């Protein structure tokens, strides 16, 4: 428990969150951005290609810019990939998932919209729903959903990925 925070303070915070008062929403936002910052820092430190998490406050999360002078990197879902690039992106996806799961994290909402494609590299983004694979009883279910979502997207684009086999390889 934070220094100086008594039982009454925690109880007040819990009620504020339950009621979703302005104060409760601020508490949740701070918790959410802090969580995403911690997860992305841990993943960046192990070498997963995520934008470097620069800093955060209760309502702002500052990340490394991925893109060029003409605009931000496109989401994978909107990127125009040729067959060789699609194969490379799939290989990078599998390697990235192995790193993430090996560190004990599950994205929690992975799709072609939470991946960027920039200069031949696949970037993982948007981690507010990330969860600890071992601590969360639904961790494996979320991992399975993440893997099958992206496998289906790749398969629809012409690079078949067996989502079940990929899921099994990550365990």
């Amino acid at each position: 428990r934070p220094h100086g925070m008594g039982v009454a303070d925690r109880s007040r915070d819990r009620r504020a969150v339950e009621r979703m008062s302005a104060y409760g929403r601020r508490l949740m936002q701070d918790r959410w951005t802090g969580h995403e910052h911690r997860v992305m820092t841990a993943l960046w430190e192990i070498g997963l290609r995520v934008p470097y998490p620069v800093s955060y406050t209760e309502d702002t999360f500052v990340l490394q810019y991925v893109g060029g002078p003409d605009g931000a990197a496109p989401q994978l879902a909107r990127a125009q990939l040729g067959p060789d690039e699609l194969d490379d992106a799939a290989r990078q996806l599998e390697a990235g998932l192995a790193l993430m799961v090996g560190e004990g994290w599950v994205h929690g909402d992975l799709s072609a919209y939470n991946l960027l494609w920039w200069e031949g590299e696949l970037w993982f983004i948007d981690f507010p729903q990330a969860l600890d694979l071992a601590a969360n009883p639904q961790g494996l279910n979320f991992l399975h959903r993440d893997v099958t979502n992206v496998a289906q997207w790749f398969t629809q684009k012409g690079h078949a990925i067996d989502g079940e086999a990929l899921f099994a390889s990550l365990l």
Side-chain angles (χ1 to χ4, degrees), residues 42-43 46 97-105 132-133:
L43 294 173
I46 63 162
L97 284 170
L99 267 176
M100 191 183 323
V101 171
E103 190 67 13
W105 290 106
D132 183 313
L133 180 59

Side-chain angles (χ1 to χ4, degrees), residues 46-100:
I46 63 162
L48 184 66
R49 194 169 296 110
V50 298
Y52 178 74
V54 177
S55 66
Y56 77 96
T57 63
E58 68 182 39
D59 61 354
T60 305
F61 187 29
V62 180
L63 298 171
Q64 168 191 0
Y65 175 75
V66 180
D70 295 330
Q75 295 168 321
L76 182 62
R78 292 186 169 85
Q80 303 295 316
L81 278 64
D84 290 341
E85 290 175 309
L86 193 61
D87 292 346
D88 198 30
R91 182 188 53 75
Q92 291 180 46
L93 171 75
E94 293 178 19
L97 284 170
L99 267 176
M100 191 183 323

Side-chain angles (χ1 to χ4, degrees), residues 6-27:
V7 174
D9 293 328
R10 287 193 317 269
S11 178
R12 180 177 73 96
D13 289 351
R14 188 186 74 250
R15 285 191 312 273
V17 168
E18 288 169 355
R19 291 183 184 130
M20 290 310 288
S21 67
Y23 175 70
R25 287 191 303 274
R26 268 195 321 275
L27 285 173

